[in-house]
């Protein structure tokens, strides 16, 4: 899941104002975002070690235990996501590199 993080900008905004504030962040920046993984239908308790990327920024290795909660990830990469957009084609590449998956043997 990828979604914008309005930080303190949206904290006190009314719901009607939020749409305009999000539009301004997307056009002018800075745009901060979160990247999350959701795994709520696993038959076994699973622990994953991953790297998460936004543009050229890579974070990790990160270790997530999906038996504790279904959603894990980063709320902030510490960069303006608009600066990670590929100028040649206008795309923003987000990714996950799975390094290790451990499942309980008692499934």
């Amino acid at each position: 899941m990828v979604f914008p993080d309005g930080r303190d900008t949206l904290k006190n905004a009314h719901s009607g104002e939020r749409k305009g504030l999000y539009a301004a962040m997307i056009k002018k920046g800075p745009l901060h975002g979160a990247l999350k993984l959701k795994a709520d239908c696993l038959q076994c308790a699973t622990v994953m070690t991953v790297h998460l990327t936004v543009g050229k920024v890579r974070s990790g290795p990160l270790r997530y235990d999906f038996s504790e909660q279904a959603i894990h990830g980063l709320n902030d990469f510490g960069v303006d996501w608009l600066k990670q957009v590929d100028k040649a084609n206008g795309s923003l590449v987000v990714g996950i590199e799975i390094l290790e998956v451990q499942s309980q043997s008692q499934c």
Side-chain angles (χ1 to χ4, degrees):
M1 298 183 295
V2 176
F3 51 93
D5 178 12
R7 298 186 172 192
D8 291 334
T9 305
L10 300 176
K11 193 174 191 179
N12 296 321
H14 296 291
S15 60
E17 299 172 311
R18 288 186 181 146
K19 185 176 181 181
L21 291 170
Y22 274 125
M25 284 189 320
I26 290 170
K27 289 180 182 177
K28 300 176 185 175
L31 178 63
H32 299 279
L35 180 57
K36 305 265 184 168
L37 306 172
K38 182 177 181 180
D40 62 350
C41 297
L42 298 175
Q43 294 178 359
C44 301
T46 303
V47 177
M48 294 176 66
T49 305
V50 301
H51 283 126
L52 299 176
T53 58
V54 173
K56 295 182 184 205
V57 178
R58 182 177 178 194
S59 186
L62 306 163
R63 185 174 170 89
Y64 299 130
D65 184 346
F66 287 95
S67 69
E68 294 175 357
Q69 63 188 49
I71 300 173
H72 289 279
L74 292 176
N75 289 327
D76 187 9
F77 275 77
V79 297
D80 180 353
W81 285 33
L82 292 179
K83 293 182 179 177
Q84 300 303 311
V85 172
D86 184 328
K87 294 185 190 327
N89 62 20
S91 67
L92 174 65
V93 177
V94 296
I96 177 172
E97 178 184 357
I98 300 173
L99 304 173
E100 182 180 17
V101 177
Q102 297 173 334
S103 295
Q104 287 185 350
S105 59
Q106 303 167 345
C107 296

